[in-house]
């Protein structure tokens, strides 16, 4: 594991190892223990898209582990305009120990990984969001849920987060139902890979059938960054897919509600559900910090082998 560009870079054993390390780092931090395995190391944050959770968790994570993060916004480096992706990657690779890239195109993070000479993390692309999916499944596991017996319902757009959820679910043995309007299904190439990994999932236009008996409901915004021109059409198409109190009532009484945030309250989810007792959205956000720390430590150890 030299990079984390996709869930496809992981194995079940590697995920289990990352989760164990995440739990250790989280419990150690809460107990006031100081661990600085990244002392003297530097992480470059190359962001074409804005972020709250991704930027803060990587910066705080590096600080907690003894390292430093350097944030580079799109307008500062103008990657692909002022200079090529390859030149940015090769240059940063001479200065830093890791790169976390939040980009539009998956090819951008793949090019950086090929040329930088240091570990590269996909901090979100239009195709995948592996850090988010790892934090999500760690959150479920932390709550004592048996992933191999879990039924997860994804309600809404078959987007980048959905892609990583499908791939990680295949590795971990989670049964997934994806409910979305026709034309908004997960990418077919992702479906093919997930099935090749042994994934158990179905795709349906019926949100109610997807949710019935589910242990977890997951939703995300209907209009992601870069899709603003589609907003009106998406609002109309996704209106029947709102995660509200009526839909939640069809799941198991113990079901948890997931959202990777930020949320468009009143669109894909109601305030009552997002702020309700079954919501684990803030746990997911908190665990982004600890999972990403575990990923950084794992990548450092791999690069030193």
């Amino acid at each position: 594991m030299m990079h984390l560009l996709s869930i496809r870079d992981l194995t079940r054993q590697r995920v289990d190892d990352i989760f164990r390390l995440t739990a250790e780092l989280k419990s150690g931090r809460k107990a006031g223990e100081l661990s600085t395995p990244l002392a003297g190391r530097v992480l470059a944050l190359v962001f074409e898209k804005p972020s709250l959770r991704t930027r803060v968790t990587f910066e705080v994570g590096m600080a907690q582990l003894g390292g430093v993060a350097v944030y580079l916004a799109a307008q500062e480096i103008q990657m692909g305009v002022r200079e090529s992706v390859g030149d940015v990657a090769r240059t940063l690779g001479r200065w830093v120990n890791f790169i976390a890239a939040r980009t539009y195109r998956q090819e951008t993070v793949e090019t950086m990984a090929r040329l930088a000479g240091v570990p590269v993390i996909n901090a979100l692309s239009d195709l995948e969001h592996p850090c988010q999916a790892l934090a999500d499944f760690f959150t479920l596991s932390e709550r004592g849920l048996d992933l191999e017996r879990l039924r997860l319902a994804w309600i809404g757009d078959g987007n980048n987060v959905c892609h990583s959820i499908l791939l990680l679910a295949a590795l971990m043995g989670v049964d997934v139902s994806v409910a979305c309007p026709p034309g908004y299904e997960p990418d077919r190439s992702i479906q093919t890979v997930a099935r090749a990994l042994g994934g158990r999932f179905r795709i349906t236009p019926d949100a109610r059938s997807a949710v019935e008996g589910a242990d977890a409901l997951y939703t995300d915004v209907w209009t992601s960054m870069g899709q603003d021109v589609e907003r009106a059409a998406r609002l109309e198409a996704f209106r029947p897919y709102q995660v509200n109190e009526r839909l939640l009532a069809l799941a198991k009484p113990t079901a948890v509600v997931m959202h990777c945030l930020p949320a468009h309250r009143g669109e894909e989810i109601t305030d009552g559900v997002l702020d309700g007792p079954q919501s684990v959205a803030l746990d997911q956000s908190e665990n982004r910090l600890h999972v990403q720390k575990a990923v950084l430590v794992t990548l450092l150890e791999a690069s030193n082998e």
Side-chain angles (χ1 to χ4, degrees), residues 41-296:
R41 267 70 176 197
V42 181
L43 167 69
L45 297 171
V46 179
F47 280 31
E48 294 180 334
K49 296 182 178 184
S51 167
L52 169 65
R53 275 151 290 278
T54 301
R55 177 179 177 179
V56 173
T57 52
F58 270 117
E59 289 193 359
V60 171
M62 283 298 291
Q64 289 183 356
L65 295 174
V68 175
V70 178
Y71 177 74
L72 300 165
Q75 63 270 22
E76 293 173 316
I77 56 176
Q78 299 180 48
M79 189 164 59
V81 178
R82 185 168 177 266
E83 55 185 314
S84 70
V85 173
D87 285 346
V88 170
R90 283 185 285 255
T91 301
L92 286 174
R94 298 296 183 99
W95 298 329
V96 305
N97 305 98
F98 312 91
I99 298 171
R102 186 175 173 90
T103 70
Y104 287 95
R105 300 172 66 244
Q106 177 73 13
E107 292 80 3
T108 299
V109 294
E110 292 173 354
T111 298
M112 298 190 84
R114 191 172 67 252
L115 299 175
V118 297
V120 174
I121 299 170
N122 179 355
L124 176 144
S125 71
D126 284 349
L127 185 65
E128 275 203 63
H129 199 349
C131 293
Q132 182 64 57
L134 285 168
D136 297 335
F137 279 76
F138 176 79
T139 300
L140 293 170
S141 178
E142 184 182 45
R143 295 181 70 87
L145 295 168
D146 183 350
L147 296 184
E148 293 187 342
R149 297 177 181 272
L150 189 81
R151 291 188 57 204
L152 186 150
W154 176 277
I155 311 299
D157 192 17
N159 60 13
N160 50 0
V161 178
C162 181
H163 291 164
S164 290
I165 290 293
L166 281 176
L167 294 174
L168 190 53
L171 284 182
M172 308 306 289
V174 175
D175 186 289
V176 181
S177 294
V178 177
C180 56
Y184 295 95
E185 298 89 350
D187 187 276
R188 288 193 178 277
S189 67
I190 295 291
Q191 294 185 44
T192 299
V193 174
R195 292 199 190 282
L197 291 171
R200 303 191 306 270
F201 65 91
R202 68 185 180 107
I203 298 173
T204 174
D206 186 351
R208 293 175 62 88
S209 70
V211 168
E212 287 177 355
D215 300 289
L217 280 68
Y218 201 142
T219 191
D220 194 5
V221 294
W222 294 339
T223 306
S224 298
M225 288 175 284
Q227 298 174 330
D228 295 330
V229 296
E230 306 173 29
R231 177 168 171 75
R234 283 176 168 270
L235 285 176
E236 183 61 28
F238 285 103
R239 202 173 305 280
Y241 297 86
Q242 183 185 74
V243 175
N244 52 37
E245 289 80 354
R246 293 188 305 278
L247 192 66
L248 178 58
L250 299 175
K252 290 182 179 178
T254 55
V256 298
V257 177
M258 309 181 76
H259 196 305
C260 55
L261 302 178
H264 292 167
R265 291 168 175 266
E267 291 183 13
E268 77 274 4
I269 194 167
T270 61
D271 285 344
V273 173
L274 184 58
D275 298 329
Q278 291 171 264
S279 174
V280 296
L282 291 179
D283 293 335
Q284 294 169 257
S285 293
E286 178 182 354
N287 285 330
R288 284 286 302 279
L289 169 65
H290 305 293
V291 161
Q292 287 164 186
K293 290 192 295 185
V295 167
L296 287 162

Side-chain angles (χ1 to χ4, degrees), residues 22-36 60-66 286 289-290 293:
T22 299
E24 292 172 10
L25 292 170
K26 182 175 181 178
S27 62
R29 188 70 194 179
K30 290 186 180 298
E33 299 172 6
L34 293 180
S35 175
T36 58
V60 171
M62 283 298 291
Q64 289 183 356
L65 295 174
E286 178 182 354
L289 169 65
H290 305 293
K293 290 192 295 185

